[in-house]
Amino acid sequence: MEKEKREEYLSILFLMVVFLGISTPSLSFGTDSSKKIIVGGDFDYKPYTFLDSNGIAKGFDVDVIKYIAEKEGYNLEFQFSQWDKALEKLEKGKVDVLLGILYTEQRDSVYDFTIPHSEEYYGIFIREGCSIEEISDLTDKEIIALDGDASVERFIKPMAFKENTVFVNSLPKAIHLLSSGKCEAVLAPYSIGMETIEESGIKNIEVVGPPILPSLYRFAVKEGNTDLLSTLNDGIDNIKSTDKIEDFREKWHFHKRKEISVIKVLRYTAIGLIPVLFIILFLSLWSRSLKKNVKKKTRILQEKTASLEEINATKDKLFSVIAHDLKTPFNSILGLSGLLTEYLHEYDIAKLEYFSKNIHSTAKNTLNLLENLLCWAKSQTGEIKYKPEAINVEKIISETVNFFDASASVKNITLNHIQNYEIEVDADQNMFRLVLNNLISNAIKFTHPNGKIDVYSIYRQKEVEITVSDNGTGMDEAVRDNLFKTNANPSSKGTENEDGTGLGLILCKEFVEKNGGTIWVESELGIGSDFSFTIPFFKG
């Protein structure tokens, strides 16, 4: 009887074990499917991502994510496709992560981005002998770009090149079409274009103009996938802290333009000075005066190094400033041209002439503004000098107010120039205009529709005080205290949700002080703001 009971208990226990083994996946052996990641990317984007002749995923980004997956215990499945399809797959959740992607504001609303793992610049590729020499020469030229590429949103549309741009599904294909005479220019990341040229033995293509569209490559996940995003960020941070990232760069033979930068010059200078410093240190044992000299030279070198680090840290901010300061004139151009397009047949010749002149003037001033911002970038490296001259204050204020009149009209804001008697100040004209541009642009941004902005000048004993006054949103004390601080970099949305970089006022402070003046703000939350700055009179 006891034997039968024991056998009955054993049978029940066996059935329970079998049941648990079937119903509990954690007790089964084999690969954990929850650790599988489906990876998307461009099938023809070498050296970042591509499929080899056997259909195997290769490239720099592939090596990076494989390294991370090995550390984290993930299994990877690669599904590379045309770039526009790859973007669509991530948006629909058909892949978990997308390689070789650049950040844009439009994409940020759909995907979440990791920290950057590499930097690249776009180039303008042309056939040898073509008349294109710089960006402005691309107007009305037939351009080829990658379908879905970040350059469309960040460059082609803002520069009004979309109408003369043809889109293809592969950048190497674009380079081959250019070589065969099918178009006049290709916009592509420098490394990808040069990789195709070198691999295919193409001899009739060159790169012209300065590097454009500085871009930081990242990975992207579907919005809200915070666990995977955190893991990828940790992995990228880890690989960047080791020599492994450089090993991958060397393996995939990244191309760089043969241009001497300030950083390289200082780096090679520092390397060349190392033996000299050793000699000076050795000689300092024999001479106290030489020892002091060595200390002095060392201090100078440290100051240069600190300056170089500051320049490198502000590099990305420069392009944000360019986008910030160009937005308003582009809105003006688009607004006026939109009115022309929609109501062309309703306007008489005088009205058409007015619109045409305003569009031309705004476009011309926009180009001048871009040149001024690029001059500011050069000033940070000591390549440009402060050039004061006698300038007519009221004339420049009037021109600037007229420049922004269309932008103010879009929000139905009254923009007034309260004129004073004409007088000359001693200032750099480009810097003076840029300060006014920023202050008026910010006033429009933070003033509600149907609001009012006044621009006026007051003459003191030795200087003129210019004020841009608005009845907009205003600000509290905490915001006021950080407006002109570089490390604070404050930024907020305008009354119509306009974007900003928070760097415009920092530029204003720098340029006003270079001209011997001061800048300040008086503001009350909900009441409005008065931004004022001073410039010394011209002494003759």
Side-chain angles (χ1 to χ4, degrees), residues 411-446:
K411 296 176 70 173
N412 201 27
I413 293 171
T414 302
L415 181 57
N416 294 322
H417 171 206
I418 304 173
Q419 294 198 10
N420 207 331
Y421 62 89
E422 295 187 356
I423 196 166
E424 292 184 333
V425 296
D426 191 23
D428 184 299
Q429 183 172 162
N430 289 335
M431 294 181 183
F432 186 82
R433 287 183 183 275
L434 189 139
V435 172
L436 280 175
N437 283 343
N438 272 292
L439 296 183
I440 296 176
S441 173
N442 282 347
I444 294 172
K445 174 181 172 182
F446 292 106

Short mmCIF file of all heavy atoms in Angstrom, two decimals, residues 411-446:
data_model
loop_
_atom_site.label_atom_id
_atom_site.label_comp_id
_atom_site.label_asym_id
_atom_site.label_seq_id
_atom_site.Cartn_x
_atom_site.Cartn_y
_atom_site.Cartn_z
N LYS A 411 3.57 88.42 -38.05
CA LYS A 411 2.91 88.31 -36.75
C LYS A 411 2.06 89.56 -36.45
O LYS A 411 1.60 89.74 -35.33
CB LYS A 411 3.95 88.11 -35.65
CG LYS A 411 4.73 86.81 -35.76
CD LYS A 411 5.83 86.68 -34.72
CE LYS A 411 5.30 86.48 -33.34
NZ LYS A 411 6.37 86.20 -32.35
N ASN A 412 1.89 90.43 -37.47
CA ASN A 412 1.12 91.65 -37.31
C ASN A 412 1.68 92.52 -36.18
O ASN A 412 0.93 93.12 -35.41
CB ASN A 412 -0.36 91.33 -37.06
CG ASN A 412 -1.26 92.51 -37.39
OD1 ASN A 412 -0.92 93.35 -38.23
ND2 ASN A 412 -2.40 92.59 -36.72
N ILE A 413 3.00 92.57 -36.09
CA ILE A 413 3.68 93.37 -35.07
C ILE A 413 4.06 94.72 -35.68
O ILE A 413 4.59 94.78 -36.79
CB ILE A 413 4.94 92.65 -34.55
CG1 ILE A 413 4.54 91.39 -33.79
CG2 ILE A 413 5.78 93.56 -33.66
CD1 ILE A 413 5.72 90.51 -33.42
N THR A 414 3.80 95.80 -34.95
CA THR A 414 4.19 97.14 -35.39
C THR A 414 5.65 97.37 -35.03
O THR A 414 6.01 97.32 -33.85
CB THR A 414 3.31 98.21 -34.72
OG1 THR A 414 1.94 97.95 -35.03
CG2 THR A 414 3.70 99.60 -35.22
N LEU A 415 6.50 97.58 -36.04
CA LEU A 415 7.94 97.79 -35.83
C LEU A 415 8.26 99.25 -36.17
O LEU A 415 8.22 99.65 -37.33
CB LEU A 415 8.74 96.82 -36.70
CG LEU A 415 10.26 96.87 -36.60
CD1 LEU A 415 10.72 96.65 -35.18
CD2 LEU A 415 10.88 95.83 -37.54
N ASN A 416 8.59 100.05 -35.15
CA ASN A 416 8.82 101.48 -35.32
C ASN A 416 10.29 101.84 -35.15
O ASN A 416 10.97 101.29 -34.27
CB ASN A 416 8.02 102.29 -34.28
CG ASN A 416 6.53 102.17 -34.50
OD1 ASN A 416 6.07 102.13 -35.64
ND2 ASN A 416 5.77 102.10 -33.43
N HIS A 417 10.75 102.75 -35.99
CA HIS A 417 12.06 103.38 -35.78
C HIS A 417 11.81 104.84 -35.41
O HIS A 417 11.38 105.64 -36.25
CB HIS A 417 12.91 103.28 -37.06
CG HIS A 417 14.18 104.08 -36.97
ND1 HIS A 417 14.82 104.57 -38.09
CD2 HIS A 417 14.92 104.48 -35.91
CE1 HIS A 417 15.90 105.25 -37.71
NE2 HIS A 417 15.98 105.20 -36.40
N ILE A 418 12.05 105.16 -34.13
CA ILE A 418 11.85 106.53 -33.66
C ILE A 418 13.15 107.29 -33.93
O ILE A 418 14.14 107.14 -33.21
CB ILE A 418 11.50 106.55 -32.17
CG1 ILE A 418 10.26 105.67 -31.92
CG2 ILE A 418 11.28 107.98 -31.69
CD1 ILE A 418 9.92 105.49 -30.47
N GLN A 419 13.18 108.06 -35.01
CA GLN A 419 14.43 108.65 -35.48
C GLN A 419 14.85 109.85 -34.63
O GLN A 419 14.03 110.64 -34.16
CB GLN A 419 14.30 109.08 -36.94
CG GLN A 419 14.13 107.88 -37.88
CD GLN A 419 14.43 108.23 -39.32
OE1 GLN A 419 14.94 109.30 -39.59
NE2 GLN A 419 14.13 107.34 -40.23
N ASN A 420 16.16 109.93 -34.44
CA ASN A 420 16.79 111.06 -33.77
C ASN A 420 17.62 111.79 -34.81
O ASN A 420 17.69 111.37 -35.98
CB ASN A 420 17.66 110.55 -32.62
CG ASN A 420 17.82 111.57 -31.51
OD1 ASN A 420 17.78 112.77 -31.76
ND2 ASN A 420 18.02 111.09 -30.29
N TYR A 421 18.28 112.89 -34.45
CA TYR A 421 19.12 113.57 -35.43
C TYR A 421 20.34 112.71 -35.73
O TYR A 421 20.81 111.95 -34.89
CB TYR A 421 19.54 114.96 -34.95
CG TYR A 421 20.37 114.97 -33.68
CD1 TYR A 421 21.76 114.88 -33.74
CD2 TYR A 421 19.77 115.08 -32.43
CE1 TYR A 421 22.52 114.90 -32.59
CE2 TYR A 421 20.53 115.11 -31.27
CZ TYR A 421 21.91 115.02 -31.35
OH TYR A 421 22.66 115.03 -30.22
N GLU A 422 20.82 112.80 -36.97
CA GLU A 422 21.89 111.91 -37.43
C GLU A 422 23.23 112.27 -36.81
O GLU A 422 23.59 113.44 -36.71
CB GLU A 422 21.98 111.95 -38.96
CG GLU A 422 20.74 111.40 -39.65
CD GLU A 422 20.91 111.30 -41.14
OE1 GLU A 422 21.97 111.73 -41.64
OE2 GLU A 422 20.01 110.78 -41.81
N ILE A 423 23.96 111.21 -36.41
CA ILE A 423 25.29 111.39 -35.84
C ILE A 423 26.10 110.15 -36.13
O ILE A 423 25.56 109.06 -36.33
CB ILE A 423 25.21 111.66 -34.32
CG1 ILE A 423 26.53 112.25 -33.82
CG2 ILE A 423 24.86 110.40 -33.56
CD1 ILE A 423 26.44 112.84 -32.44
N GLU A 424 27.41 110.29 -36.16
CA GLU A 424 28.29 109.17 -36.49
C GLU A 424 28.93 108.60 -35.23
O GLU A 424 29.26 109.34 -34.29
CB GLU A 424 29.38 109.61 -37.47
CG GLU A 424 28.85 109.95 -38.85
CD GLU A 424 29.96 110.29 -39.82
OE1 GLU A 424 31.02 110.76 -39.35
OE2 GLU A 424 29.76 110.11 -41.04
N VAL A 425 29.08 107.27 -35.23
CA VAL A 425 29.79 106.60 -34.14
C VAL A 425 31.01 105.89 -34.70
O VAL A 425 31.14 105.68 -35.91
CB VAL A 425 28.89 105.58 -33.41
CG1 VAL A 425 27.73 106.26 -32.73
CG2 VAL A 425 28.40 104.50 -34.38
N ASP A 426 31.90 105.51 -33.81
CA ASP A 426 33.14 104.82 -34.19
C ASP A 426 32.95 103.33 -33.91
O ASP A 426 33.04 102.90 -32.75
CB ASP A 426 34.31 105.39 -33.38
CG ASP A 426 35.65 104.91 -33.93
OD1 ASP A 426 35.71 104.54 -35.11
OD2 ASP A 426 36.64 104.93 -33.17
N ALA A 427 32.69 102.52 -34.95
CA ALA A 427 32.39 101.10 -34.74
C ALA A 427 32.66 100.30 -35.99
O ALA A 427 32.76 100.83 -37.09
CB ALA A 427 30.92 100.93 -34.32
N ASP A 428 32.78 98.99 -35.80
CA ASP A 428 32.87 98.05 -36.92
C ASP A 428 31.45 97.86 -37.45
O ASP A 428 30.56 97.39 -36.73
CB ASP A 428 33.46 96.72 -36.45
CG ASP A 428 33.66 95.73 -37.58
OD1 ASP A 428 32.66 95.38 -38.24
OD2 ASP A 428 34.81 95.33 -37.82
N GLN A 429 31.22 98.23 -38.71
CA GLN A 429 29.86 98.24 -39.25
C GLN A 429 29.23 96.85 -39.25
O GLN A 429 28.05 96.70 -38.92
CB GLN A 429 29.86 98.82 -40.68
CG GLN A 429 28.46 98.93 -41.26
CD GLN A 429 28.42 99.66 -42.58
OE1 GLN A 429 27.46 99.55 -43.31
NE2 GLN A 429 29.45 100.44 -42.90
N ASN A 430 30.00 95.84 -39.63
CA ASN A 430 29.44 94.48 -39.67
C ASN A 430 28.98 94.03 -38.29
O ASN A 430 27.91 93.44 -38.12
CB ASN A 430 30.48 93.50 -40.22
CG ASN A 430 30.72 93.69 -41.70
OD1 ASN A 430 29.86 94.19 -42.42
ND2 ASN A 430 31.90 93.30 -42.17
N MET A 431 29.80 94.32 -37.27
CA MET A 431 29.44 93.94 -35.91
C MET A 431 28.22 94.71 -35.43
O MET A 431 27.33 94.17 -34.77
CB MET A 431 30.62 94.18 -34.96
CG MET A 431 31.83 93.30 -35.24
SD MET A 431 33.17 93.63 -34.07
CE MET A 431 34.45 92.52 -34.71
N PHE A 432 28.16 96.01 -35.75
CA PHE A 432 27.04 96.86 -35.36
C PHE A 432 25.73 96.33 -35.95
O PHE A 432 24.71 96.23 -35.27
CB PHE A 432 27.31 98.30 -35.81
CG PHE A 432 26.28 99.29 -35.35
CD1 PHE A 432 26.35 99.83 -34.07
CD2 PHE A 432 25.25 99.69 -36.18
CE1 PHE A 432 25.40 100.74 -33.63
CE2 PHE A 432 24.30 100.61 -35.75
CZ PHE A 432 24.38 101.13 -34.47
N ARG A 433 25.76 95.98 -37.23
CA ARG A 433 24.56 95.45 -37.89
C ARG A 433 24.12 94.13 -37.26
O ARG A 433 22.94 93.88 -37.06
CB ARG A 433 24.81 95.25 -39.38
CG ARG A 433 24.88 96.54 -40.19
CD ARG A 433 25.07 96.24 -41.67
NE ARG A 433 25.22 97.44 -42.45
CZ ARG A 433 24.19 98.16 -42.93
NH1 ARG A 433 22.95 97.76 -42.67
NH2 ARG A 433 24.41 99.24 -43.65
N LEU A 434 25.09 93.26 -36.95
CA LEU A 434 24.74 91.95 -36.39
C LEU A 434 24.09 92.10 -35.03
O LEU A 434 23.15 91.38 -34.70
CB LEU A 434 26.00 91.07 -36.29
CG LEU A 434 25.71 89.61 -35.94
CD1 LEU A 434 26.60 88.69 -36.74
CD2 LEU A 434 25.90 89.35 -34.46
N VAL A 435 24.56 93.04 -34.21
CA VAL A 435 23.95 93.28 -32.90
C VAL A 435 22.49 93.71 -33.08
O VAL A 435 21.58 93.18 -32.43
CB VAL A 435 24.74 94.35 -32.11
CG1 VAL A 435 23.98 94.73 -30.84
CG2 VAL A 435 26.12 93.83 -31.75
N LEU A 436 22.24 94.68 -33.97
CA LEU A 436 20.87 95.12 -34.23
C LEU A 436 20.00 93.98 -34.76
O LEU A 436 18.84 93.82 -34.36
CB LEU A 436 20.88 96.28 -35.24
CG LEU A 436 21.21 97.67 -34.70
CD1 LEU A 436 21.30 98.66 -35.84
CD2 LEU A 436 20.18 98.12 -33.68
N ASN A 437 20.57 93.18 -35.69
CA ASN A 437 19.82 92.04 -36.25
C ASN A 437 19.35 91.11 -35.14
O ASN A 437 18.18 90.69 -35.11
CB ASN A 437 20.71 91.27 -37.23
CG ASN A 437 20.84 91.96 -38.57
OD1 ASN A 437 20.06 92.83 -38.90
ND2 ASN A 437 21.85 91.58 -39.33
N ASN A 438 20.25 90.77 -34.23
CA ASN A 438 19.90 89.83 -33.16
C ASN A 438 18.86 90.41 -32.22
O ASN A 438 17.90 89.72 -31.84
CB ASN A 438 21.17 89.46 -32.38
CG ASN A 438 21.89 88.28 -32.98
OD1 ASN A 438 21.39 87.17 -32.95
ND2 ASN A 438 23.04 88.52 -33.56
N LEU A 439 19.02 91.66 -31.81
CA LEU A 439 18.09 92.25 -30.85
C LEU A 439 16.69 92.41 -31.44
O LEU A 439 15.69 92.12 -30.77
CB LEU A 439 18.63 93.61 -30.37
CG LEU A 439 19.95 93.57 -29.58
CD1 LEU A 439 20.32 94.96 -29.10
CD2 LEU A 439 19.85 92.61 -28.40
N ILE A 440 16.61 92.86 -32.71
CA ILE A 440 15.28 93.02 -33.32
C ILE A 440 14.65 91.66 -33.60
O ILE A 440 13.45 91.46 -33.40
CB ILE A 440 15.39 93.86 -34.61
CG1 ILE A 440 15.87 95.29 -34.28
CG2 ILE A 440 14.04 93.92 -35.34
CD1 ILE A 440 16.10 96.17 -35.48
N SER A 441 15.48 90.71 -34.06
CA SER A 441 14.97 89.35 -34.31
C SER A 441 14.41 88.73 -33.03
O SER A 441 13.33 88.13 -33.04
CB SER A 441 16.10 88.47 -34.87
OG SER A 441 15.69 87.14 -34.98
N ASN A 442 15.13 88.90 -31.91
CA ASN A 442 14.65 88.36 -30.64
C ASN A 442 13.37 89.07 -30.19
O ASN A 442 12.45 88.44 -29.63
CB ASN A 442 15.73 88.51 -29.56
CG ASN A 442 16.81 87.47 -29.69
OD1 ASN A 442 16.64 86.49 -30.40
ND2 ASN A 442 17.91 87.67 -29.01
N ALA A 443 13.29 90.38 -30.42
CA ALA A 443 12.09 91.13 -30.03
C ALA A 443 10.86 90.61 -30.78
O ALA A 443 9.79 90.43 -30.20
CB ALA A 443 12.29 92.62 -30.30
N ILE A 444 11.02 90.35 -32.08
CA ILE A 444 9.91 89.79 -32.88
C ILE A 444 9.53 88.41 -32.36
O ILE A 444 8.36 88.07 -32.23
CB ILE A 444 10.30 89.72 -34.37
CG1 ILE A 444 10.47 91.14 -34.94
CG2 ILE A 444 9.26 88.95 -35.17
CD1 ILE A 444 11.04 91.19 -36.34
N LYS A 445 10.55 87.63 -32.03
CA LYS A 445 10.33 86.26 -31.56
C LYS A 445 9.51 86.22 -30.27
O LYS A 445 8.60 85.40 -30.12
CB LYS A 445 11.68 85.58 -31.35
CG LYS A 445 11.61 84.20 -30.71
CD LYS A 445 13.02 83.64 -30.52
CE LYS A 445 13.00 82.36 -29.71
NZ LYS A 445 14.34 81.83 -29.46
N PHE A 446 9.79 87.14 -29.34
CA PHE A 446 9.16 87.09 -28.02
C PHE A 446 8.03 88.12 -27.86
O PHE A 446 7.60 88.40 -26.75
CB PHE A 446 10.21 87.30 -26.93
CG PHE A 446 11.17 86.16 -26.83
CD1 PHE A 446 12.47 86.27 -27.30
CD2 PHE A 446 10.78 84.94 -26.29
CE1 PHE A 446 13.36 85.22 -27.22
CE2 PHE A 446 11.66 83.88 -26.20
CZ PHE A 446 12.95 84.02 -26.67
#
